[in-house]
Every structure is written in structure tokens, then in C-alpha cells.
Amino acid sequence: MVRLPPGRVLTLLLPLALLPATTTACAEREPTSTVVIGVTASANEPAVTLTPAVRAVLREAVVGGDVRLVVHRSSANSPITLWDGPISPRNGDGALERDPERREKALVGVLGKVESVVGAAAGDNPQLDPLGLLAAAARVPGAQTVVLLSSGLQTAAPLDLAERGLALDVPDAISALPVDAVPRLAGKRVLLSGLGEVAGPQQPLPDDGRRALGELWRGICLRGQGSGCDLDVTAGERREPVSLVRVPVVPVAGGLPDEPPGGSADQGAADAGSGEDADAGAVAGSATEVVTLPNALLFQPDSDVLVPTASSAMERIARRFGPGTTARITGHTAHRGAAEGALALSERRARRVANSLVSLGVPRAALTSVRGVGYDEPVRPEVDATGQPVPGAAEQNRAVVVELTGPVAAG
């Protein structure tokens, strides 16, 4: 055995201990999943924060196993890596921490560090390019979940909203994107967070502008074949921008015409034919907005007891209700366990969401349907035609879906 002098050992070990958090960790184990977060962080956007929905995505991934987190910031050339390493807590033996309380305590500390990193992000790209950032995030090897934290006000080609404004035909804008500009999202779950949140010289967006952005980015995600394309309805702490690099301002006059996003009028009529009562003031026959709330964001495991992160989501949805707005609330579960138990749990969760909205001032008469369907009506099939599991589908089915119909107020 070769014995090294004490000073030599110190020389070898200290540099490893002092490596910055942005350095890729040399893990002994392959992660079971990889989550990639992309932030634009321009001077026209609030400082980046982890919303309750983003935190719920990270918690859900950690519960499932060993997670690698990658955080990219938009830059003039290629994205800058702010974080790349494991975030799953481990016990004293180096194994994954399975005790829920100890795991949660350790995870809170890790998420605090991640929050500090993204909160200090200062974009240096003179153009706002969330499209390029999303494409880059999707190319990270092993990426299964991608989170885009951005206002969504693209000013770089081929989708320059500073030139086109928000009064655009959303389906045409999506279909006109060159094939090589569409992010390749097949098999990836995508969360779009912060859309329409602006600061600095960018004028706040009207309601129709926000709706246009939501439909635009969800449509881009779907064209990229994302296995889940969700809009974040929660909000984090709002802080002033960190970046000093301003990007072009997007004109806010106009926006998406008053038509039902997320489907054609024919599809809306089919939805209306479900036999549910509709409020006379609602736009007949179509869901104006569909909000999917992950159960991990709302409830304790296998329970209808709300967790603290639920309050922000409930308040934001309650603010969407205006005169004539109605909603259908449907609880779903993954295809696990006995059908009777799954049905009962989904019903309790749907009622809990309804009662929470009523407590926040939503008229109970505006909730035209409150029901649980267990795993009988999945949001997305969990197996493909060959009987193989569909990645991410079970997580998408663990949700409460709120379909808002009629005039929808700003969130």
C-alpha cells in the first residue's frame, strides 16, 4: 500500500470539496429520472422563483427515485448551466432516504439552494428566446420532465412576437414554425410556468393576451409531441428583475379572439352534450380553459387533505371566475389499487377542490359538475397499443381537472 504524507492527502481532497454547485457531479449511480428547468430571466420579467407547481413536480420526481436536476439559463449563444447534479436526499449509508419526514426535511433544504440559484439568474440574451431554450432543455440526455420558467414573450426568430404582437392566429403561428425549430418533446412531460408574467419596460398583458400565450405554448408543446403539456396556474413570490439586459417589448394591443382555446367549436359542442347543466351566462358548448392540477400539488399522499401549496393554486383559480363563468371539476387517479378505492378517493378530492373554491367566494351554483372517476376516464392512457407503459402517463392521471367555461377573468 502506498502511504501519502498528510499534506499530500489534503492537496488531493480539498479541490473536490470546493467544486462549485454548477459542476456536474460524478454520480456512482445512474439517475432514475432527469428534470430540466430552463429560465429566461430577462430584464422584462420578474426574478425567477420556484412556484408551488414546480416544487410539486420536483417532489413527485424525488419520491419516485434518484433524480438528476439540470438548470439552464438562456444566453446569447448557448444556454448556461446553473445546476447539474442529484437532488434526491440520501441517508447516512448513502442510500436513498425512504423515511418521508427525513426526506422532506432534506428536500426543503435542497430546494432552497435551487431557489437561490434560479433567483439570482440574470439573462444576458438581447432577445427573449424561450423556444430555443425549450429545445435545448429537451436535448439533455435522459430528460423526462422539462420545466420552462419564462414569460413566453418570444422576440427571436422564427416567432418574433415583438413584430407580430399577440393578435395572431395561434394555430397558424404554430403550424408555420419550421420543423427544425419545434422542440422534440416526445415522451417528455412539460410544465410551462410564468407565462405572461412581466416586469420592467414590458407592459402588462390583457386577459386575451395571456390566453393567447397559453394556447401558443401549449400548442407548440403538443406539436413537439410532449407527453404532457401543462400550464402552471400557481404563483411564486414576485420580485424585481435581476438582469439589466432588456429585450424588445411586445405590443399588447389585441390578443386571441374570443373563441374556445384547446379545441374547435365542434369539439366544444360535443363536450356540452355531456348532459351537465350550463349557466345561462356562459359561452355555450365549449371549455374556455382546462386546468390540470397535479394531486402532488394539492393533497397529502392517498388522502384528500390539502397541503400548504394548494392554497396558492386554489386562489388563482378562484380569481378566474367572473360573471357567467362555470366550471366542471373531475378527480382522476392513476390505474393503481382497487377500482372502488380509487373512485372514492377521486370523488373526495374533487369535492375538496370544489369546497375550497366556494370558501374563496366562488358561487356553488357555478360548479355545474363535481365528480370523481377514479381511473375509469384517464386523462391519458397509461399503456400503448402493445400493452407497454406510457412514460409519465400515470403521473398525469393523478390530478384534478377544472374545466372553466364562459368569460374567464385574469388569474
Side-chain angles (χ1 to χ4, degrees), residues 26-77:
C26 297
E28 296 178 359
R29 311 166 181 81
E30 288 293 326
T32 55
S33 66
T34 298
V35 178
V36 184
I37 297 178
V39 302
T40 46
S42 74
N44 293 22
E45 303 167 297
V48 181
T49 61
L50 300 181
T51 68
V54 175
R55 288 173 174 267
V57 166
L58 294 174
R59 279 191 171 87
E60 184 178 322
V62 166
V63 169
D66 196 5
V67 179
R68 172 194 176 202
L69 174 65
V70 179
V71 180
H72 284 169
R73 173 180 64 75
S74 180
S75 185
N77 297 313

mmCIF file of all heavy atoms in Angstrom, residues 26-77:
data_model
loop_
_atom_site.group_PDB
_atom_site.id
_atom_site.type_symbol
_atom_site.label_atom_id
_atom_site.label_comp_id
_atom_site.label_asym_id
_atom_site.label_seq_id
_atom_site.Cartn_x
_atom_site.Cartn_y
_atom_site.Cartn_z
ATOM 1 N N CYS A 26 -20.108 13.531 -10.414
ATOM 2 C CA CYS A 26 -19.769 12.203 -10.941
ATOM 3 C C CYS A 26 -20.500 11.173 -10.098
ATOM 4 O O CYS A 26 -19.974 10.679 -9.103
ATOM 5 C CB CYS A 26 -18.262 11.980 -10.890
ATOM 6 S SG CYS A 26 -17.344 13.143 -11.938
ATOM 7 N N ALA A 27 -21.713 10.886 -10.472
ATOM 8 C CA ALA A 27 -22.545 10.010 -9.659
ATOM 9 C C ALA A 27 -22.132 8.564 -9.843
ATOM 10 O O ALA A 27 -21.740 8.129 -10.926
ATOM 11 C CB ALA A 27 -24.017 10.188 -10.035
ATOM 12 N N GLU A 28 -22.234 7.803 -8.762
ATOM 13 C CA GLU A 28 -21.931 6.380 -8.832
ATOM 14 C C GLU A 28 -23.096 5.621 -9.433
ATOM 15 O O GLU A 28 -22.930 4.517 -9.918
ATOM 16 C CB GLU A 28 -21.624 5.857 -7.425
ATOM 17 C CG GLU A 28 -20.374 6.469 -6.803
ATOM 18 C CD GLU A 28 -20.145 5.944 -5.401
ATOM 19 O OE1 GLU A 28 -20.978 5.134 -4.941
ATOM 20 O OE2 GLU A 28 -19.166 6.327 -4.768
ATOM 21 N N ARG A 29 -24.269 6.205 -9.389
ATOM 22 C CA ARG A 29 -25.458 5.523 -9.881
ATOM 23 C C ARG A 29 -26.086 6.352 -10.984
ATOM 24 O O ARG A 29 -26.039 7.579 -10.972
ATOM 25 C CB ARG A 29 -26.490 5.321 -8.754
ATOM 26 C CG ARG A 29 -25.926 4.730 -7.477
ATOM 27 C CD ARG A 29 -26.922 4.888 -6.342
ATOM 28 N NE ARG A 29 -26.428 4.365 -5.097
ATOM 29 C CZ ARG A 29 -25.614 5.012 -4.292
ATOM 30 N NH1 ARG A 29 -25.195 6.221 -4.623
ATOM 31 N NH2 ARG A 29 -25.205 4.472 -3.157
ATOM 32 N N GLU A 30 -26.700 5.676 -11.937
ATOM 33 C CA GLU A 30 -27.457 6.371 -12.955
ATOM 34 C C GLU A 30 -28.769 6.859 -12.334
ATOM 35 O O GLU A 30 -29.439 6.095 -11.638
ATOM 36 C CB GLU A 30 -27.749 5.439 -14.129
ATOM 37 C CG GLU A 30 -26.538 5.116 -14.975
ATOM 38 C CD GLU A 30 -26.004 6.322 -15.717
ATOM 39 O OE1 GLU A 30 -26.820 7.168 -16.121
ATOM 40 O OE2 GLU A 30 -24.779 6.433 -15.869
ATOM 41 N N PRO A 31 -29.170 8.125 -12.570
ATOM 42 C CA PRO A 31 -30.432 8.602 -12.009
ATOM 43 C C PRO A 31 -31.615 7.895 -12.651
ATOM 44 O O PRO A 31 -31.559 7.485 -13.816
ATOM 45 C CB PRO A 31 -30.422 10.098 -12.375
ATOM 46 C CG PRO A 31 -29.521 10.202 -13.561
ATOM 47 C CD PRO A 31 -28.474 9.152 -13.355
ATOM 48 N N THR A 32 -32.676 7.712 -11.876
ATOM 49 C CA THR A 32 -33.877 7.089 -12.420
ATOM 50 C C THR A 32 -34.671 8.077 -13.259
ATOM 51 O O THR A 32 -35.470 7.685 -14.087
ATOM 52 C CB THR A 32 -34.766 6.550 -11.285
ATOM 53 O OG1 THR A 32 -35.053 7.615 -10.362
ATOM 54 C CG2 THR A 32 -34.069 5.416 -10.554
ATOM 55 N N SER A 33 -34.475 9.372 -13.047
ATOM 56 C CA SER A 33 -35.140 10.383 -13.868
ATOM 57 C C SER A 33 -34.312 11.661 -13.868
ATOM 58 O O SER A 33 -33.530 11.914 -12.954
ATOM 59 C CB SER A 33 -36.561 10.670 -13.345
ATOM 60 O OG SER A 33 -36.513 11.275 -12.069
ATOM 61 N N THR A 34 -34.504 12.446 -14.915
ATOM 62 C CA THR A 34 -33.820 13.730 -15.053
ATOM 63 C C THR A 34 -34.847 14.814 -15.286
ATOM 64 O O THR A 34 -35.696 14.696 -16.178
ATOM 65 C CB THR A 34 -32.817 13.702 -16.226
ATOM 66 O OG1 THR A 34 -31.804 12.718 -15.964
ATOM 67 C CG2 THR A 34 -32.154 15.054 -16.423
ATOM 68 N N VAL A 35 -34.793 15.853 -14.474
ATOM 69 C CA VAL A 35 -35.672 17.016 -14.611
ATOM 70 C C VAL A 35 -34.811 18.184 -15.088
ATOM 71 O O VAL A 35 -33.756 18.464 -14.516
ATOM 72 C CB VAL A 35 -36.347 17.380 -13.278
ATOM 73 C CG1 VAL A 35 -37.224 18.623 -13.440
ATOM 74 C CG2 VAL A 35 -37.187 16.209 -12.763
ATOM 75 N N VAL A 36 -35.256 18.860 -16.144
ATOM 76 C CA VAL A 36 -34.520 20.003 -16.687
ATOM 77 C C VAL A 36 -35.382 21.251 -16.548
ATOM 78 O O VAL A 36 -36.554 21.251 -16.956
ATOM 79 C CB VAL A 36 -34.151 19.788 -18.163
ATOM 80 C CG1 VAL A 36 -33.289 20.959 -18.663
ATOM 81 C CG2 VAL A 36 -33.415 18.481 -18.351
ATOM 82 N N ILE A 37 -34.826 22.298 -15.956
ATOM 83 C CA ILE A 37 -35.505 23.584 -15.810
ATOM 84 C C ILE A 37 -34.781 24.599 -16.684
ATOM 85 O O ILE A 37 -33.548 24.730 -16.600
ATOM 86 C CB ILE A 37 -35.522 24.063 -14.353
ATOM 87 C CG1 ILE A 37 -36.306 23.084 -13.476
ATOM 88 C CG2 ILE A 37 -36.112 25.465 -14.239
ATOM 89 C CD1 ILE A 37 -36.322 23.458 -12.001
ATOM 90 N N GLY A 38 -35.527 25.305 -17.521
ATOM 91 C CA GLY A 38 -34.963 26.373 -18.334
ATOM 92 C C GLY A 38 -35.536 27.715 -17.917
ATOM 93 O O GLY A 38 -36.756 27.850 -17.777
ATOM 94 N N VAL A 39 -34.676 28.711 -17.670
ATOM 95 C CA VAL A 39 -35.133 30.039 -17.253
ATOM 96 C C VAL A 39 -34.615 31.075 -18.242
ATOM 97 O O VAL A 39 -33.462 31.005 -18.687
ATOM 98 C CB VAL A 39 -34.666 30.370 -15.812
ATOM 99 C CG1 VAL A 39 -35.169 29.326 -14.835
ATOM 100 C CG2 VAL A 39 -33.159 30.487 -15.714
ATOM 101 N N THR A 40 -35.469 32.036 -18.603
ATOM 102 C CA THR A 40 -35.031 33.113 -19.497
ATOM 103 C C THR A 40 -34.471 34.291 -18.707
ATOM 104 O O THR A 40 -33.450 34.856 -19.066
ATOM 105 C CB THR A 40 -36.181 33.568 -20.408
ATOM 106 O OG1 THR A 40 -37.382 33.740 -19.637
ATOM 107 C CG2 THR A 40 -36.441 32.535 -21.492
ATOM 108 N N ALA A 41 -35.132 34.702 -17.625
ATOM 109 C CA ALA A 41 -34.578 35.663 -16.664
ATOM 110 C C ALA A 41 -34.113 36.966 -17.307
ATOM 111 O O ALA A 41 -33.012 37.446 -17.050
ATOM 112 C CB ALA A 41 -33.429 35.017 -15.883
ATOM 113 N N SER A 42 -34.952 37.567 -18.147
ATOM 114 C CA SER A 42 -34.601 38.840 -18.767
ATOM 115 C C SER A 42 -34.973 40.000 -17.855
ATOM 116 O O SER A 42 -35.614 39.826 -16.815
ATOM 117 C CB SER A 42 -35.328 38.989 -20.109
ATOM 118 O OG SER A 42 -36.702 39.272 -19.899
ATOM 119 N N ALA A 43 -34.606 41.211 -18.271
ATOM 120 C CA ALA A 43 -34.965 42.407 -17.509
ATOM 121 C C ALA A 43 -36.433 42.766 -17.690
ATOM 122 O O ALA A 43 -36.938 43.653 -17.003
ATOM 123 C CB ALA A 43 -34.081 43.584 -17.930
ATOM 124 N N ASN A 44 -37.112 42.096 -18.624
ATOM 125 C CA ASN A 44 -38.541 42.341 -18.852
ATOM 126 C C ASN A 44 -39.424 41.357 -18.092
ATOM 127 O O ASN A 44 -40.630 41.322 -18.306
ATOM 128 C CB ASN A 44 -38.851 42.241 -20.341
ATOM 129 C CG ASN A 44 -38.216 43.350 -21.152
ATOM 130 O OD1 ASN A 44 -37.235 43.955 -20.718
ATOM 131 N ND2 ASN A 44 -38.755 43.634 -22.322
ATOM 132 N N GLU A 45 -38.804 40.550 -17.220
ATOM 133 C CA GLU A 45 -39.537 39.535 -16.461
ATOM 134 C C GLU A 45 -39.177 39.640 -14.981
ATOM 135 O O GLU A 45 -38.059 40.055 -14.643
ATOM 136 C CB GLU A 45 -39.175 38.140 -16.971
ATOM 137 C CG GLU A 45 -39.435 37.925 -18.446
ATOM 138 C CD GLU A 45 -38.781 36.650 -18.964
ATOM 139 O OE1 GLU A 45 -37.532 36.573 -18.928
ATOM 140 O OE2 GLU A 45 -39.518 35.746 -19.392
ATOM 141 N N PRO A 46 -40.097 39.240 -14.094
ATOM 142 C CA PRO A 46 -39.739 39.210 -12.664
ATOM 143 C C PRO A 46 -38.601 38.233 -12.415
ATOM 144 O O PRO A 46 -38.341 37.338 -13.226
ATOM 145 C CB PRO A 46 -41.042 38.735 -11.985
ATOM 146 C CG PRO A 46 -42.121 38.906 -12.999
ATOM 147 C CD PRO A 46 -41.469 38.778 -14.343
ATOM 148 N N ALA A 47 -37.910 38.411 -11.307
ATOM 149 C CA ALA A 47 -36.880 37.445 -10.922
ATOM 150 C C ALA A 47 -37.504 36.055 -10.835
ATOM 151 O O ALA A 47 -38.664 35.888 -10.451
ATOM 152 C CB ALA A 47 -36.260 37.842 -9.585
ATOM 153 N N VAL A 48 -36.728 35.049 -11.199
ATOM 154 C CA VAL A 48 -37.234 33.681 -11.270
ATOM 155 C C VAL A 48 -37.488 33.129 -9.870
ATOM 156 O O VAL A 48 -36.665 33.304 -8.957
ATOM 157 C CB VAL A 48 -36.231 32.773 -12.007
ATOM 158 C CG1 VAL A 48 -36.771 31.351 -12.108
ATOM 159 C CG2 VAL A 48 -35.931 33.340 -13.391
ATOM 160 N N THR A 49 -38.626 32.485 -9.690
ATOM 161 C CA THR A 49 -38.932 31.783 -8.444
ATOM 162 C C THR A 49 -39.481 30.397 -8.785
ATOM 163 O O THR A 49 -39.996 30.167 -9.882
ATOM 164 C CB THR A 49 -39.986 32.534 -7.601
ATOM 165 O OG1 THR A 49 -41.209 32.639 -8.357
ATOM 166 C CG2 THR A 49 -39.507 33.923 -7.225
ATOM 167 N N LEU A 50 -39.345 29.483 -7.831
ATOM 168 C CA LEU A 50 -39.948 28.159 -7.972
ATOM 169 C C LEU A 50 -41.374 28.233 -7.447
ATOM 170 O O LEU A 50 -41.599 28.380 -6.256
ATOM 171 C CB LEU A 50 -39.151 27.114 -7.191
ATOM 172 C CG LEU A 50 -37.681 26.914 -7.583
ATOM 173 C CD1 LEU A 50 -37.059 25.824 -6.712
ATOM 174 C CD2 LEU A 50 -37.545 26.565 -9.061
ATOM 175 N N THR A 51 -42.339 28.134 -8.328
ATOM 176 C CA THR A 51 -43.740 28.176 -7.926
ATOM 177 C C THR A 51 -44.110 26.889 -7.191
ATOM 178 O O THR A 51 -43.387 25.883 -7.259
ATOM 179 C CB THR A 51 -44.654 28.339 -9.143
ATOM 180 O OG1 THR A 51 -44.581 27.136 -9.925
ATOM 181 C CG2 THR A 51 -44.263 29.539 -9.986
ATOM 182 N N PRO A 52 -45.241 26.878 -6.483
ATOM 183 C CA PRO A 52 -45.688 25.628 -5.851
ATOM 184 C C PRO A 52 -45.812 24.472 -6.833
ATOM 185 O O PRO A 52 -45.508 23.331 -6.490
ATOM 186 C CB PRO A 52 -47.042 26.014 -5.249
ATOM 187 C CG PRO A 52 -46.912 27.478 -4.945
ATOM 188 C CD PRO A 52 -46.085 28.030 -6.073
ATOM 189 N N ALA A 53 -46.233 24.753 -8.054
ATOM 190 C CA ALA A 53 -46.369 23.672 -9.034
ATOM 191 C C ALA A 53 -45.011 23.109 -9.430
ATOM 192 O O ALA A 53 -44.852 21.893 -9.589
ATOM 193 C CB ALA A 53 -47.107 24.175 -10.274
ATOM 194 N N VAL A 54 -44.008 23.975 -9.590
ATOM 195 C CA VAL A 54 -42.662 23.498 -9.932
ATOM 196 C C VAL A 54 -42.095 22.668 -8.781
ATOM 197 O O VAL A 54 -41.497 21.608 -8.987
ATOM 198 C CB VAL A 54 -41.735 24.684 -10.255
ATOM 199 C CG1 VAL A 54 -40.304 24.198 -10.487
ATOM 200 C CG2 VAL A 54 -42.242 25.437 -11.482
ATOM 201 N N ARG A 55 -42.285 23.143 -7.565
ATOM 202 C CA ARG A 55 -41.818 22.384 -6.406
ATOM 203 C C ARG A 55 -42.521 21.032 -6.324
ATOM 204 O O ARG A 55 -41.909 20.021 -5.957
ATOM 205 C CB ARG A 55 -42.053 23.182 -5.124
ATOM 206 C CG ARG A 55 -41.109 24.379 -4.983
ATOM 207 C CD ARG A 55 -41.477 25.247 -3.781
ATOM 208 N NE ARG A 55 -40.498 26.292 -3.576
ATOM 209 C CZ ARG A 55 -39.444 26.213 -2.768
ATOM 210 N NH1 ARG A 55 -39.256 25.102 -2.060
ATOM 211 N NH2 ARG A 55 -38.584 27.199 -2.653
ATOM 212 N N ALA A 56 -43.805 21.004 -6.659
ATOM 213 C CA ALA A 56 -44.547 19.740 -6.626
ATOM 214 C C ALA A 56 -43.995 18.755 -7.654
ATOM 215 O O ALA A 56 -43.903 17.551 -7.387
ATOM 216 C CB ALA A 56 -46.032 19.998 -6.886
ATOM 217 N N VAL A 57 -43.612 19.253 -8.826
ATOM 218 C CA VAL A 57 -43.016 18.385 -9.848
ATOM 219 C C VAL A 57 -41.718 17.782 -9.328
ATOM 220 O O VAL A 57 -41.459 16.577 -9.491
ATOM 221 C CB VAL A 57 -42.767 19.187 -11.138
ATOM 222 C CG1 VAL A 57 -41.835 18.422 -12.083
ATOM 223 C CG2 VAL A 57 -44.081 19.479 -11.846
ATOM 224 N N LEU A 58 -40.884 18.595 -8.680
ATOM 225 C CA LEU A 58 -39.617 18.096 -8.157
ATOM 226 C C LEU A 58 -39.844 17.100 -7.021
ATOM 227 O O LEU A 58 -39.161 16.069 -6.950
ATOM 228 C CB LEU A 58 -38.761 19.268 -7.679
ATOM 229 C CG LEU A 58 -38.290 20.227 -8.790
ATOM 230 C CD1 LEU A 58 -37.575 21.433 -8.194
ATOM 231 C CD2 LEU A 58 -37.393 19.515 -9.777
ATOM 232 N N ARG A 59 -40.796 17.390 -6.140
ATOM 233 C CA ARG A 59 -41.099 16.455 -5.044
ATOM 234 C C ARG A 59 -41.582 15.122 -5.591
ATOM 235 O O ARG A 59 -41.175 14.054 -5.126
ATOM 236 C CB ARG A 59 -42.156 17.057 -4.119
ATOM 237 C CG ARG A 59 -41.619 18.040 -3.102
ATOM 238 C CD ARG A 59 -42.674 18.385 -2.065
ATOM 239 N NE ARG A 59 -42.082 19.149 -0.986
ATOM 240 C CZ ARG A 59 -41.951 20.478 -0.986
ATOM 241 N NH1 ARG A 59 -42.391 21.167 -2.029
ATOM 242 N NH2 ARG A 59 -41.387 21.100 0.030
ATOM 243 N N GLU A 60 -42.462 15.186 -6.561
ATOM 244 C CA GLU A 60 -43.014 13.958 -7.134
ATOM 245 C C GLU A 60 -41.909 13.119 -7.765
ATOM 246 O O GLU A 60 -41.888 11.893 -7.632
ATOM 247 C CB GLU A 60 -44.066 14.324 -8.185
ATOM 248 C CG GLU A 60 -44.784 13.138 -8.803
ATOM 249 C CD GLU A 60 -45.848 13.567 -9.787
ATOM 250 O OE1 GLU A 60 -46.531 14.580 -9.526
ATOM 251 O OE2 GLU A 60 -45.986 12.894 -10.815
ATOM 252 N N ALA A 61 -40.972 13.774 -8.436
ATOM 253 C CA ALA A 61 -39.870 13.050 -9.047
ATOM 254 C C ALA A 61 -38.980 12.408 -7.992
ATOM 255 O O ALA A 61 -38.560 11.252 -8.129
ATOM 256 C CB ALA A 61 -39.053 13.997 -9.929
ATOM 257 N N VAL A 62 -38.701 13.138 -6.905
ATOM 258 C CA VAL A 62 -37.831 12.625 -5.850
ATOM 259 C C VAL A 62 -38.461 11.420 -5.160
ATOM 260 O O VAL A 62 -37.779 10.450 -4.825
ATOM 261 C CB VAL A 62 -37.509 13.740 -4.834
ATOM 262 C CG1 VAL A 62 -36.911 13.165 -3.560
ATOM 263 C CG2 VAL A 62 -36.537 14.745 -5.458
ATOM 264 N N VAL A 63 -39.764 11.464 -4.938
ATOM 265 C CA VAL A 63 -40.447 10.321 -4.327
ATOM 266 C C VAL A 63 -40.282 9.074 -5.198
ATOM 267 O O VAL A 63 -40.207 7.958 -4.701
ATOM 268 C CB VAL A 63 -41.938 10.644 -4.100
ATOM 269 C CG1 VAL A 63 -42.719 9.390 -3.714
ATOM 270 C CG2 VAL A 63 -42.096 11.708 -3.018
ATOM 271 N N GLY A 64 -40.179 9.285 -6.513
ATOM 272 C CA GLY A 64 -40.072 8.157 -7.433
ATOM 273 C C GLY A 64 -38.692 7.547 -7.523
ATOM 274 O O GLY A 64 -38.542 6.463 -8.100
ATOM 275 N N GLY A 65 -37.656 8.212 -6.996
ATOM 276 C CA GLY A 65 -36.324 7.614 -7.064
ATOM 277 C C GLY A 65 -35.213 8.641 -7.089
ATOM 278 O O GLY A 65 -35.350 9.750 -6.558
ATOM 279 N N ASP A 66 -34.114 8.283 -7.725
ATOM 280 C CA ASP A 66 -32.911 9.109 -7.768
ATOM 281 C C ASP A 66 -33.032 10.113 -8.906
ATOM 282 O O ASP A 66 -33.149 9.737 -10.070
ATOM 283 C CB ASP A 66 -31.692 8.208 -7.985
ATOM 284 C CG ASP A 66 -30.397 8.917 -7.651
ATOM 285 O OD1 ASP A 66 -30.458 10.051 -7.163
ATOM 286 O OD2 ASP A 66 -29.329 8.331 -7.883
ATOM 287 N N VAL A 67 -33.007 11.398 -8.590
ATOM 288 C CA VAL A 67 -33.297 12.440 -9.567
ATOM 289 C C VAL A 67 -32.072 13.312 -9.829
ATOM 290 O O VAL A 67 -31.419 13.781 -8.902
ATOM 291 C CB VAL A 67 -34.466 13.338 -9.091
ATOM 292 C CG1 VAL A 67 -34.743 14.449 -10.099
ATOM 293 C CG2 VAL A 67 -35.714 12.501 -8.876
ATOM 294 N N ARG A 68 -31.792 13.512 -11.092
ATOM 295 C CA ARG A 68 -30.791 14.486 -11.520
ATOM 296 C C ARG A 68 -31.528 15.747 -11.954
ATOM 297 O O ARG A 68 -32.468 15.683 -12.752
ATOM 298 C CB ARG A 68 -29.979 13.929 -12.687
ATOM 299 C CG ARG A 68 -29.030 14.942 -13.343
ATOM 300 C CD ARG A 68 -28.538 14.425 -14.678
ATOM 301 N NE ARG A 68 -27.705 15.384 -15.386
ATOM 302 C CZ ARG A 68 -27.505 15.363 -16.706
ATOM 303 N NH1 ARG A 68 -28.099 14.441 -17.453
ATOM 304 N NH2 ARG A 68 -26.731 16.277 -17.284
ATOM 305 N N LEU A 69 -31.114 16.898 -11.431
ATOM 306 C CA LEU A 69 -31.697 18.181 -11.820
ATOM 307 C C LEU A 69 -30.678 18.968 -12.631
ATOM 308 O O LEU A 69 -29.516 19.092 -12.240
ATOM 309 C CB LEU A 69 -32.107 18.991 -10.588
ATOM 310 C CG LEU A 69 -32.605 20.418 -10.867
ATOM 311 C CD1 LEU A 69 -33.905 20.395 -11.666
ATOM 312 C CD2 LEU A 69 -32.790 21.203 -9.566
ATOM 313 N N VAL A 70 -31.145 19.497 -13.760
ATOM 314 C CA VAL A 70 -30.328 20.371 -14.598
ATOM 315 C C VAL A 70 -31.071 21.693 -14.750
ATOM 316 O O VAL A 70 -32.266 21.696 -15.086
ATOM 317 C CB VAL A 70 -30.080 19.750 -15.988
ATOM 318 C CG1 VAL A 70 -29.238 20.683 -16.861
ATOM 319 C CG2 VAL A 70 -29.406 18.386 -15.861
ATOM 320 N N VAL A 71 -30.396 22.805 -14.493
ATOM 321 C CA VAL A 71 -30.991 24.131 -14.657
ATOM 322 C C VAL A 71 -30.190 24.892 -15.700
ATOM 323 O O VAL A 71 -28.960 25.052 -15.561
ATOM 324 C CB VAL A 71 -31.012 24.929 -13.329
ATOM 325 C CG1 VAL A 71 -31.631 26.305 -13.557
ATOM 326 C CG2 VAL A 71 -31.796 24.165 -12.256
ATOM 327 N N HIS A 72 -30.865 25.340 -16.749
ATOM 328 C CA HIS A 72 -30.242 26.125 -17.805
ATOM 329 C C HIS A 72 -30.775 27.558 -17.792
ATOM 330 O O HIS A 72 -31.966 27.782 -17.542
ATOM 331 C CB HIS A 72 -30.544 25.523 -19.190
ATOM 332 C CG HIS A 72 -29.745 24.307 -19.513
ATOM 333 N ND1 HIS A 72 -30.013 23.502 -20.601
ATOM 334 C CD2 HIS A 72 -28.670 23.753 -18.896
ATOM 335 C CE1 HIS A 72 -29.149 22.509 -20.640
ATOM 336 N NE2 HIS A 72 -28.320 22.633 -19.620
ATOM 337 N N ARG A 73 -29.895 28.503 -18.054
ATOM 338 C CA ARG A 73 -30.312 29.898 -18.257
ATOM 339 C C ARG A 73 -30.056 30.273 -19.706
ATOM 340 O O ARG A 73 -29.017 29.944 -20.291
ATOM 341 C CB ARG A 73 -29.546 30.842 -17.330
ATOM 342 C CG ARG A 73 -29.829 32.316 -17.649
ATOM 343 C CD ARG A 73 -29.096 33.269 -16.744
ATOM 344 N NE ARG A 73 -27.653 33.229 -16.838
ATOM 345 C CZ ARG A 73 -26.928 33.733 -17.839
ATOM 346 N NH1 ARG A 73 -27.527 34.259 -18.898
ATOM 347 N NH2 ARG A 73 -25.603 33.674 -17.800
ATOM 348 N N SER A 74 -31.014 30.994 -20.292
ATOM 349 C CA SER A 74 -30.869 31.448 -21.663
ATOM 350 C C SER A 74 -29.671 32.379 -21.787
ATOM 351 O O SER A 74 -29.394 33.194 -20.905
ATOM 352 C CB SER A 74 -32.145 32.167 -22.113
ATOM 353 O OG SER A 74 -32.029 32.615 -23.442
ATOM 354 N N SER A 75 -28.954 32.264 -22.903
ATOM 355 C CA SER A 75 -27.808 33.121 -23.160
ATOM 356 C C SER A 75 -27.764 33.441 -24.646
ATOM 357 O O SER A 75 -28.479 32.834 -25.451
ATOM 358 C CB SER A 75 -26.511 32.443 -22.713
ATOM 359 O OG SER A 75 -25.403 33.314 -22.860
ATOM 360 N N ALA A 76 -26.932 34.411 -25.008
ATOM 361 C CA ALA A 76 -26.884 34.860 -26.398
ATOM 362 C C ALA A 76 -26.428 33.751 -27.336
ATOM 363 O O ALA A 76 -26.847 33.708 -28.496
ATOM 364 C CB ALA A 76 -25.964 36.070 -26.514
ATOM 365 N N ASN A 77 -25.577 32.869 -26.876
ATOM 366 C CA ASN A 77 -25.078 31.791 -27.726
ATOM 367 C C ASN A 77 -25.788 30.480 -27.403
ATOM 368 O O ASN A 77 -26.773 30.130 -28.013
ATOM 369 C CB ASN A 77 -23.561 31.668 -27.563
ATOM 370 C CG ASN A 77 -22.844 32.923 -28.019
ATOM 371 O OD1 ASN A 77 -23.139 33.440 -29.095
ATOM 372 N ND2 ASN A 77 -21.911 33.414 -27.224
#
